[in-house]
């Protein structure tokens, strides 16, 4: 059974930092894309960032470029999202997600597996 377990959310003041972690287990394949979406009530989910497990290629949505960094530790099957210079508009539930088919774009319809979500709240 595939599982994605997230941690690291919380409350932080604007300008602060948080690091999210997602540990994956139960995969029977080695090559996939893993990353993060975020969701705010009343708005569409947004693909924040992802990384390819095989070649390390990364993607960032424009609104987080230069502030967020995604990385992975393949030995631990863990992906990290370092979030710096946080803004109130970054407040959301962040979900770890996996595209097992490497569909070529980071969007909800490409996702095969989801984590349970972790709340990130940035106060002004």
């Amino acid at each position: 059974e595939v599982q994605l377990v997230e941690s690291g959310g919380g409350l932080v003041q604007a300008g602060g930092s948080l690091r999210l972690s997602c540990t994956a287990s139960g995969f029977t394949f080695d090559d996939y894309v893993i990353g993060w979406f975020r969701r705010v009530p009343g708005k569409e989910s947004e693909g924040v960032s992802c990384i390819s497990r095989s070649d390390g290629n990364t993607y960032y949505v424009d609104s987080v470029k230069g502030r967020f960094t995604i990385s992975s530790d393949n030995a631990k099957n863990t992906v990290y999202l370092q979030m710096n210079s946080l803004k109130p508009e970054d407040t959301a539930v962040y979900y770890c997600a996996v595209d097992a088919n490497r569909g070529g774009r980071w969007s909800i319809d490409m996702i095969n597996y989801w984590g349970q979500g972790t709340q990130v709240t940035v106060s002004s």
Side-chain angles (χ1 to χ4, degrees), residues 35-58:
W36 302 87
F37 284 77
R38 62 187 179 187
R39 182 179 299 163
V40 175
K43 295 185 178 181
E44 289 189 4
S45 293
E46 179 177 54
V48 176
S49 180
C50 66
I51 186 168
S52 168
R53 192 177 190 277
S54 60
D55 57 23
N57 286 339
T58 59

Side-chain angles (χ1 to χ4, degrees), residues 10-119:
L11 172 64
V12 65
Q13 288 189 332
S17 298
L18 285 173
R19 189 177 79 156
L20 305 183
S21 300
C22 174
T23 299
S25 63
F27 286 96
T28 58
F29 46 89
D30 293 328
D31 191 14
Y32 51 85
V33 178
I34 185 167
W36 302 87
F37 284 77
R38 62 187 179 187
R39 182 179 299 163
V40 175
K43 295 185 178 181
E44 289 189 4
S45 293
E46 179 177 54
V48 176
S49 180
C50 66
I51 186 168
S52 168
R53 192 177 190 277
S54 60
D55 57 23
N57 286 339
T58 59
Y59 160 82
Y60 298 94
V61 69
D62 285 347
S63 59
V64 308
K65 285 179 180 177
R67 300 188 298 121
F68 291 11
T69 302
I70 193 168
S71 61
S72 66
D73 183 337
N74 287 350
K76 296 181 179 180
N77 288 327
T78 299
V79 62
Y80 305 96
L81 187 67
Q82 179 65 44
M83 305 186 294
N84 298 330
S85 302
L86 282 161
K87 304 175 181 180
E89 51 264 43
D90 294 317
T91 296
V93 178
Y94 284 70
Y95 294 88
C96 183
V98 165
D99 170 5
N101 300 311
R102 297 175 56 86
R105 54 190 173 86
W106 193 236
S107 64
I108 289 177
D109 59 321
M110 306 307 263
I111 301 304
N112 307 101
Y113 304 102
W114 292 95
Q116 80 282 1
T118 185
Q119 177 71 46

